Amino acid sequence: AGISLRSASDQNFLIVDISDPKKHRVIGEMDRFTVPMLLHEKAIYMHEGRQFQVEKLDFDACKAFIRQVETGYYTDADLNINLSLLDIEKEEPRPCGGQSALGEVKVTALVTMYKKIRFDTHENLGFGHVRLPETEMHTEAMWWTLPDDLVARFASDTLKNGMLGVANLLRIVCPLYLMCAPQD
């Protein structure tokens, strides 16, 4: 019961509903890495089918203060991700060419802005800036490196589209092989 299945972090943020000034209540918590995307100031946060707006995010105290609102839009944050290789633990040549590798990586995320998007039409209603520190997460990763002769045979856009197709295929097949949910 003391171990979160959603996150290995012990620095979760409490989500505090301040809609009733006489009675503040904690309605949830979120891991530190996800907070900048969903709980930045002015974000619309959905909980139990109701909309809340984040009034204040206290990053140092790990608390987000939200108030129930009725808006016709939701917010979508723009996330910039940087991946840095820290250590290669294992490399293997692949029969189809190239190599697969396993190693430790650092994922750095920075949210710089958010968009307001109307529910029914998905019309962009405006945007706002987010001023939060970047977050880091150390994790394990696996990657596949294509051989140079294969890369040289295709135009850049064709190669990118092909790799996106492989990524989509992996998102479908891996959960079957690993016996997990696609979100995992």
Side-chain angles (χ1 to χ4, degrees), residues 95-119:
C96 59
Q99 289 188 352
S100 64
L102 175 72
E104 187 178 341
V105 295
K106 177 176 78 171
V107 181
T108 306
L110 179 64
V111 175
T112 56
M113 64 172 285
Y114 66 93
K115 293 186 283 188
K116 296 178 182 179
I117 301 172
R118 189 182 308 275
F119 279 124

Side-chain angles (χ1 to χ4, degrees), residues 78-98:
D78 181 36
L79 180 66
N80 297 314
I81 297 279
N82 187 15
L83 191 64
S84 304
L85 177 61
L86 299 176
D87 185 34
I88 298 174
E89 296 174 17
K90 184 178 178 182
E91 283 184 299
E92 289 181 7
R94 303 307 320 159
C96 59

